[in-house]
Every structure is written in structure tokens, then in C-alpha cells.
Amino acid sequence: EKLVAQAQKVQELPLGYEKYKATQELAEVISREIPRTFAAKAGDWILELANLPRAYMASFFDFSFGLRQGIVALARHPKDFARAFKSQFKPFLSEKNYELLMDSVMKDPNFGWAAEAKVAFTDINAKLGLREERYMSSLAERIPIFGSPVRATNRAYSAMANKLRMDTFSTLLKSAEDLGLNPRNNEELLRSIGNLVNDMTGRGSFKQLTGERVGHALEMAAPVLNAFFFSPRLNVSRLNILIPA
């Protein structure tokens, strides 16, 4: 009954961030009903705790995404970068502003194509592997007093990242079409554009660097890697750009 009720809610909502959140809740309902071993639960807590110091070190009023993860996009797409940089400050101030920005990203006419291209959109409410690397610990946001600035900075960081990825993808899609190409009917070209957007914004693919099998294992292990190495996806993105072969 819980599943049916939540599924109906998802179906009734229009495309946007509210539908996304309702879908996440549906996944949570399913997850809660599946029995989990003590070892699995302990593993989740260990990952959260391992990532906690990183989340605090990099979280207090940190607006460095633009000149760190996003600096390659700045060099080639300054207009998209400027819009994205400006967009991070309102989400910093409130949860509602973050939701409005995410809703605008998901209602972009090219969002479906960006998702098809595997552009790496992230969210502050997602599981660890789908968060920005600096915020792979929800525990950091729950600690009284100190958790509030961490959450606010996470909102700003993720807002700029998603806005920059969406706008840069749209620009590259249009550029390809202006050249007489048709990425909407060319899966390989579409995925190449998606990979480039991810690399330019610090969200590199392990699969692109190492191959499918090894890359898949590293993708699954990303939260573990993030606890012991500083921003592994960012490092991979730089390697992908420097060594495109």
C-alpha cells in the first residue's frame, strides 16, 4: 500500500524537482522494507564517518567550485560560467531557493538529452555516490549548530555545479547542431558531449579512463575512495582532458 500510494504520487506530479524528490522517497520506501544485515548497516555508518572530516574541512562558506571543479568550463564558456556562479548565492540562503534552482534545471528543454548523455547531475538529498565529492557525509549536516552552515554551503556548491553542467551541455549541443551534426540522433556523439561536460566540471568518469570493467568497480567504490583521496573524480576529470585517448 505504501509503494502504490507513493508511485501514484510520482505519476501525478509534473516533471521537475518535486517529482524527483517523490521518486527518491519511493526508492527509500522500497529500501526500508528490505531486510538488511548488521554488516551492511555498519558499512554505511563507517562510510559516513570516514567522509565526515572531509565534509567539515571543505564545507564552511566554501564557494570554491567555480575556480576548482569549474575552472575548465570558465576558460571555454565564460557566459555559462558567469550565470552559474551567480546562481549559487540564493540557494546558500535557503532550502527553497535551492529547490527552485533544481526545478529550473530539470525543466530545461535539454534536460532529458543531458540525462541521456549521462551528464552527472548531483543532489544534496541523494545517496553518497550522487552527491558532490566534498559532501559525501549526511552526518555533517545533522550535527547541531555546525550542521547548518555545512548544509547551506552544500546547497550553493551543488546548485552552481548543476546549473553549470546544464548550461554548458546546452551550449555544446547547439554548437554541434550549428556545425551540421545531429547529436540527438547520434548516441556516441551525445555521450561524448556528456563526458566533456562532466570533465570540464570536475566530475570525471572512471570508465572513460580505465575501461568498462575496472571503471565500474571504481564507480561503485567512489564513496570509499573519496574518504581517503581528495576528490578522486576531479583528478580523473583532469586526466581525461589531458589524455583523451
Side-chain angles (χ1 to χ4, degrees):
E1 289 176 354
K2 291 177 189 175
L3 289 172
V4 170
Q6 188 63 25
Q8 287 177 339
K9 180 180 177 181
V10 171
Q11 283 184 320
E12 291 166 3
L13 287 168
L15 183 65
Y17 190 59
E18 282 298 318
K19 190 181 188 78
Y20 167 80
K21 288 199 300 180
T23 306
Q24 291 286 93
E25 179 57 30
L26 177 61
E28 285 296 317
V29 170
I30 295 169
S31 179
R32 286 195 295 267
E33 297 301 320
I34 298 173
R36 302 187 71 215
T37 64
F38 174 79
K41 293 177 182 178
D44 289 345
W45 276 96
I46 290 169
L47 272 180
E48 287 271 12
L49 289 170
N51 279 284
L52 183 61
R54 266 290 313 282
Y56 265 110
M57 282 167 48
S59 294
F60 280 84
F61 310 106
D62 183 340
F63 296 97
S64 66
F65 178 90
L67 296 180
R68 195 162 179 264
Q69 277 87 345
I71 196 164
V72 178
L74 167 61
R76 184 63 186 88
H77 301 285
K79 290 182 180 179
D80 293 331
F81 180 92
R83 284 194 297 269
F85 188 85
K86 182 181 176 182
S87 74
Q88 68 184 312
F89 297 108
K90 285 185 178 180
F92 176 81
L93 297 175
S94 77
E95 201 85 14
K96 182 64 177 176
N97 287 337
Y98 172 79
E99 292 184 359
L100 287 172
L101 182 134
M102 288 295 290
D103 195 57
S104 71
V105 167
M106 292 184 173
K107 288 180 177 176
D108 187 285
N110 292 320
F111 179 78
W113 293 107
E116 189 76 19
K118 306 296 183 186
V119 173
F121 296 108
T122 56
D123 182 49
I124 60 174
N125 298 308
K127 298 289 187 182
L128 297 189
L130 295 177
R131 287 168 158 245
E132 289 297 320
E133 288 185 306
R134 291 192 169 200
Y135 302 95
M136 283 192 181
S137 176
S138 59
L139 286 177
E141 299 172 0
R142 300 178 200 167
I143 297 175
I145 301 175
F146 298 105
S148 182
V150 173
R151 178 77 172 178
T153 311
N154 187 2
R155 289 196 301 265
Y157 211 86
S158 301
M160 180 176 179
N162 289 319
K163 175 68 171 170
L164 183 58
R165 287 170 187 143
M166 187 67 255
D167 288 358
T168 304
F169 175 82
S170 294
T171 297
L172 289 170
L173 193 70
K174 184 178 184 303
S175 296
E177 291 172 338
D178 289 345
L179 289 170
L181 303 173
N182 191 358
R184 298 173 202 269
N185 288 327
N186 185 330
E187 184 179 351
E188 184 178 354
L189 177 57
L190 191 68
R191 288 294 299 274
S192 293
I193 293 173
N195 285 336
L196 180 57
V197 169
N198 292 338
D199 288 335
M200 286 197 299
T201 57
R203 192 80 179 177
S205 166
F206 293 103
K207 293 179 183 179
Q208 189 181 344
L209 185 69
T210 63
E212 188 71 25
R213 183 174 296 181
V214 175
H216 178 72
L218 290 172
E219 295 281 353
M220 297 295 290
V224 179
L225 292 172
N226 194 70
F228 300 102
F229 300 96
F230 206 83
S231 300
R233 287 186 187 277
L234 172 61
N235 294 323
V236 167
S237 73
R238 297 300 183 251
L239 288 171
N240 285 342
I241 287 173
L242 290 169
I243 317 169

